[in-house]
Amino acid sequence: MADKFQAVVIGGGPGGYVCAIRLAQLGLKTACIESRGSLGGTCLNIGCIPSKSLLNLSEEFHKVKNLSSKGIEIGEVKLNLSKMMKSKDKAVTILTKGVEFLLKKNKVTYFKGIGSFKSKNEILVKDDKDNETIIQTDNTVIATGSVPVSLPGIEFDEKKIVSSTGALKLNKVPKKMIVVGGGYIGLEMGSVWSRLGSEVHVIEFLDHITPGMDKEISSEFMKILKKQGIKFHMEHKVEKIKTVNKGVAISTVDKMGNRNDFQCDVVLISVGRKPNTNGLNLEKVGVELDEKKRVKTNKKFKTNLNNIYAIGDVIAGPMLAHKAEDEGIAVAENIAGQSGHVNYDTIPGVVYTTPEVASIGKTEEQLKDLKINYKIGKFSFMANSRAKAIDDAEGFVKILADEKTDRVLGAHLIGPHAGELIAEIGIAMEFGASSEDIARTCHAHPTFSEAVKEAALSVDKRAIHS
Ligand SMILES: Cc1cc2nc3c(=O)[nH]c(=O)nc-3n(C[C@H](O)[C@H](O)[C@H](O)COP(=O)(O)OP(=O)(O)OC[C@H]3O[C@@H](n4cnc5c(N)ncnc54)[C@H](O)[C@@H]3O)c2cc1C
C-alpha cells in the first residue's frame, strides 16, 4: 500500500523545505523529496551559505594581513586553503543537518531520491540504488530550483572551466582567474579569490555590472571593486573558451569589433541560471512551462493543474533564497485554504562583497520609465560617525520617495552592513511609510543605521551631518 500524503514537496531547497514545514504546521500530512542527499538545496549546499562563508573568511584574511597599518602587528599571515575549505564545509554540514532536524521536528516525511510525476496524484521516488517508491498525494509543490547555465558549446569541467559550484571548492588559489559575467554571483566569487591572492578579471557583455541594479550604485560598486584590484573588460562578447596546456584561453570581441585574447588558470562562467525541471516528467501530467522553460503559475502559485503548484527558482521572478522561502510559506497557506501572498515590490537583493550592496523597490531608472515623479535623499558613509570610527566609510545610502506623497518607493545602499540595513527600509515599505517616517524614527548613535535616517532626512534637504 503506497504512502498517502495531503501534500508532497519535490525539492528540499529554501523554497521546498520551508514550504514543507509550513504545510506540516498547518496540519497537513506532508512529505519532502530531495535528490541531493542533503537538504537545503542550492542555497545551503552550493550557493548562499558556502559563498558567504568564503566571503567572510577571505575578508578576514585580507583584513588581518593589512592590520599593521592600524598599529596591530601580528607577523606573517599565511593562508591554509584546505583548512579554510573545511571550515566552509563544516558550516554547510551544520546547517543542512539542522534542516533535517527541523523536518523531523515538524513531522515531515523526508524521502531521499529523485521525484517524478507518475500521475497528478502519484509521485515516483527513485533512490540512489534505483529502488522505487510510489507515494500518493492530494497536492504537489514543485520546488526543484535552478542550475547554472554555460555559454553555448562550452562545458563546465569544474576544474579549469568552472561554474559557481566549482569556484566554491578550488583546491589552489589560481594565479589568474577570469570571471565571465558581472552579476552578483560572479562578483562575490571574484572577490573571494581576489582577496586570497588571484589576479581577477571580469569580462562583461554590457557596459555596467550587476544588471537591474540602480545605475548610480552599480557604477560606484565597480569603482570600489576596481580600487580593490579587480580588472574589468566591459562590452566584451566571449567568442571562445578552450582549455590549453597551462590553463584556459578565452577570446572576446569588444564593442569596436576588435578581437582580444586572454589566458588564465581558471575561468568562472557566471552568466545566469536556468530553471530545473529535468526528470520531473511534467509532460506526462501536462504541467505547462512558459517561454523561458519556467513552470507557469498564477498568483496563487498554482500551475495549469488544480492540485500542482510551483515556487522558487523554477518559476518566474528573482532567483533568491528569501523569495523562494516566502513563496513556500504563501503556497502552503493557500493549499491549507488561507490567503498566502508575496509582495514582490519589497524583495531585497544583497551582494555580500565588501562593501555590501543592497537594494529594494524601484530603481531611479525604473521610476523614470514608469514616469513616476520622485525625490532623492542621499547620505554618504563618509559622514557617518560609526563608519568613520572603524575606518569603513565607503559608499552611501540612497532613498527614493514619491514626489507628492513622500512614500518610500525604493532604496539602494552600498556600504558597511548594507545587507542588514536594508531590512529597516523593507519594513517601512511594507507599512507604506514615508521618508519622513524614517527620518523621525530615533536611530541609536553611533550606528550605521544613522546613515539611513540621514538619507531619509536628505529627501527633504534637511540632513544634519552633510
Ligand atoms: C553561488 C551562489 C550564491 C548564492 N547566494 C545567494 C544569496 O546570498 N542570497 C540569496 O537569496 N540567494 C542566493 N543564491 C540563490 C539561491 O541559492 C537560490 O535562489 C535558492 O536556492 C532557490 O531556492 P529553491 O528552493 O527554489 O531551489 P534550490 O535551492 O535550487 O533547491 C532545489 C532542490 O531541489 C532538488 N531537486 C531537483 N529536482 C529534483 C527532483 N526531481 N527530485 C527531488 N529533488 C530534486 C535539488 O537537488 C535542489 O536541492 C545563490 C546561488 C548561488 C549559485
Side-chain angles (χ1 to χ4, degrees), residues 3 170 185 286 294:
D3 277 333
L170 298 177
I185 294 178
R294 302 171 293 202

Side-chain angles (χ1 to χ4, degrees), residues 248-315:
V248 188
I250 300 172
S251 43
T252 68
V253 174
D254 61 27
K255 69 170 175 179
M256 310 301 287
N258 298 323
R259 197 187 127 131
N260 305 270
D261 292 312
F262 298 86
Q263 283 246 355
C264 61
D265 306 285
V266 173
V267 58
L268 161 60
I269 302 179
S270 183
V271 292
R273 298 179 62 80
K274 63 177 179 195
N276 176 24
T277 52
N278 262 351
L280 279 171
N281 217 4
L282 293 183
E283 325 70 55
K284 169 126 188 184
V285 278
V287 171
E288 282 178 9
L289 303 183
D290 69 11
E291 69 296 346
K292 292 187 173 161
K293 306 258 183 273
R294 302 171 293 202
V295 178
K296 207 164 148 183
T297 57
N298 66 13
K299 282 197 174 134
K300 300 261 171 203
F301 309 103
K302 198 179 266 187
T303 65
N304 56 313
L305 300 184
N306 226 3
N307 67 333
I308 301 180
Y309 301 79
I311 53 164
D313 279 10
V314 80
I315 69 167

Side-chain angles (χ1 to χ4, degrees), residues 272-401:
R273 298 179 62 80
K274 63 177 179 195
N276 176 24
T277 52
N278 262 351
L280 279 171
N281 217 4
L282 293 183
E283 325 70 55
K284 169 126 188 184
V285 278
V287 171
E288 282 178 9
L289 303 183
D290 69 11
E291 69 296 346
K292 292 187 173 161
K293 306 258 183 273
R294 302 171 293 202
V295 178
K296 207 164 148 183
T297 57
N298 66 13
K299 282 197 174 134
K300 300 261 171 203
F301 309 103
K302 198 179 266 187
T303 65
N304 56 313
L305 300 184
N306 226 3
N307 67 333
I308 301 180
Y309 301 79
I311 53 164
D313 279 10
V314 80
I315 69 167
M319 287 186 170
L320 292 169
H322 41 284
K323 176 256 192 192
E325 287 185 36
D326 284 6
E327 289 177 344
I329 289 172
V331 77
E333 292 174 350
N334 291 337
I335 291 171
Q338 300 183 354
S339 302
H341 160 79
V342 174
N343 181 359
Y344 290 96
D345 287 335
T346 55
I347 294 181
V350 178
V351 192
Y352 296 83
T353 42
T354 301
E356 290 183 351
V357 186
S359 69
I360 191 164
K362 299 274 185 286
T363 62
E364 256 200 272
E365 293 72 35
Q366 287 171 326
L367 291 175
K368 278 182 191 146
D369 283 350
L370 292 166
K371 301 202 176 0
I372 296 174
N373 295 331
Y374 58 92
K375 302 179 281 185
I376 306 178
K378 249 195 274 179
F379 191 78
S380 165
F381 281 102
M382 284 299 268
N384 172 268
S385 53
R386 178 69 177 276
K388 285 306 279 180
I390 65 162
D391 191 18
D392 190 1
E394 273 180 317
F396 58 89
V397 178
K398 170 173 175 180
I399 293 181
L400 303 168

Side-chain angles (χ1 to χ4, degrees), residues 65-131:
K65 261 194 358 190
N66 294 294
L67 274 178
S68 63
S69 64
K70 294 182 179 160
I72 304 173
E73 308 277 355
I74 43 175
E76 195 190 352
V77 181
K78 282 203 265 181
L79 172 69
N80 183 333
L81 186 61
S82 97
K83 236 183 180 170
M84 189 178 272
M85 289 294 173
K86 278 192 191 132
S87 167
K88 169 211 63 168
D89 294 341
K90 190 172 155 201
V92 168
T93 307
I94 289 171
L95 287 168
T96 55
K97 289 273 172 234
V99 173
E100 201 167 329
F101 164 78
L102 289 175
L103 288 195
K104 212 183 224 167
K105 183 178 153 201
N106 285 280
K107 302 194 174 40
V108 173
T109 307
Y110 170 25
F111 287 93
K112 284 188 182 176
I114 300 173
S116 62
F117 284 92
K118 209 170 146 49
S119 72
K120 268 179 66 175
N121 294 95
E122 286 171 308
I123 309 292
L124 177 77
V125 186
K126 203 187 223 184
D127 71 15
D128 56 359
K129 294 189 181 66
D130 281 347
N131 297 316

Side-chain angles (χ1 to χ4, degrees), residues 10-204:
I10 309 181
Y17 85 75
V18 166
C19 176
I21 290 174
R22 187 72 189 119
L23 283 161
Q25 282 177 346
L26 290 163
L28 278 84
K29 188 177 176 206
T30 305
C32 181
I33 309 168
E34 170 54 59
S35 58
R36 185 186 295 277
S38 79
L39 291 160
T42 301
C43 176
L44 265 63
N45 291 279
I46 51 167
C48 327
I49 298 304
S51 60
K52 265 80 262 180
S53 169
L54 287 184
L55 277 157
N56 178 57
L57 293 166
S58 59
E59 177 62 9
E60 287 192 0
F61 174 66
H62 176 78
K63 268 193 185 151
V64 171
K65 261 194 358 190
N66 294 294
L67 274 178
S68 63
S69 64
K70 294 182 179 160
I72 304 173
E73 308 277 355
I74 43 175
E76 195 190 352
V77 181
K78 282 203 265 181
L79 172 69
N80 183 333
L81 186 61
S82 97
K83 236 183 180 170
M84 189 178 272
M85 289 294 173
K86 278 192 191 132
S87 167
K88 169 211 63 168
D89 294 341
K90 190 172 155 201
V92 168
T93 307
I94 289 171
L95 287 168
T96 55
K97 289 273 172 234
V99 173
E100 201 167 329
F101 164 78
L102 289 175
L103 288 195
K104 212 183 224 167
K105 183 178 153 201
N106 285 280
K107 302 194 174 40
V108 173
T109 307
Y110 170 25
F111 287 93
K112 284 188 182 176
I114 300 173
S116 62
F117 284 92
K118 209 170 146 49
S119 72
K120 268 179 66 175
N121 294 95
E122 286 171 308
I123 309 292
L124 177 77
V125 186
K126 203 187 223 184
D127 71 15
D128 56 359
K129 294 189 181 66
D130 281 347
N131 297 316
E132 294 187 351
T133 310
I134 292 172
I135 52 181
Q136 307 275 337
T137 179
D138 295 335
N139 300 285
T140 303
V141 179
I142 303 167
T144 46
S146 62
V147 288
V149 287
S150 186
L151 293 163
I154 298 160
E155 283 192 15
F156 297 121
D157 62 21
E158 299 299 8
K159 288 193 168 67
K160 288 185 186 174
I161 303 178
V162 300
S163 68
S164 54
T165 308
L168 286 165
K169 53 179 193 202
L170 298 177
N171 56 16
K172 209 168 116 195
V173 178
K175 253 179 124 168
K176 183 168 170 183
M177 174 185 249
I178 288 185
V179 178
V180 180
Y184 82 94
I185 294 178
L187 296 175
E188 285 185 356
M189 294 317 302
S191 289
V192 165
W193 292 106
S194 163
R195 290 168 195 160
L196 295 180
S198 294
E199 177 188 329
V200 173
H201 292 242
V202 175
I203 296 178
E204 168 57 54

Side-chain angles (χ1 to χ4, degrees), residues 200-243:
V200 173
H201 292 242
V202 175
I203 296 178
E204 168 57 54
F205 179 66
L206 300 174
D207 65 355
H208 58 281
I209 56 170
T210 51
M213 190 182 277
D214 190 276
K215 283 259 180 76
E216 196 179 0
I217 295 278
S218 140
S219 70
E220 179 71 11
F221 186 26
M222 188 158 136
K223 241 190 261 162
I224 292 174
L225 291 175
K226 271 185 183 167
K227 256 199 324 199
Q228 292 175 3
I230 296 182
K231 298 183 172 61
F232 288 88
H233 308 275
M234 307 306 286
E235 296 182 85
H236 278 239
K237 182 171 188 288
V238 171
E239 296 273 294
K240 225 194 246 165
I241 297 184
K242 65 168 194 221
T243 48

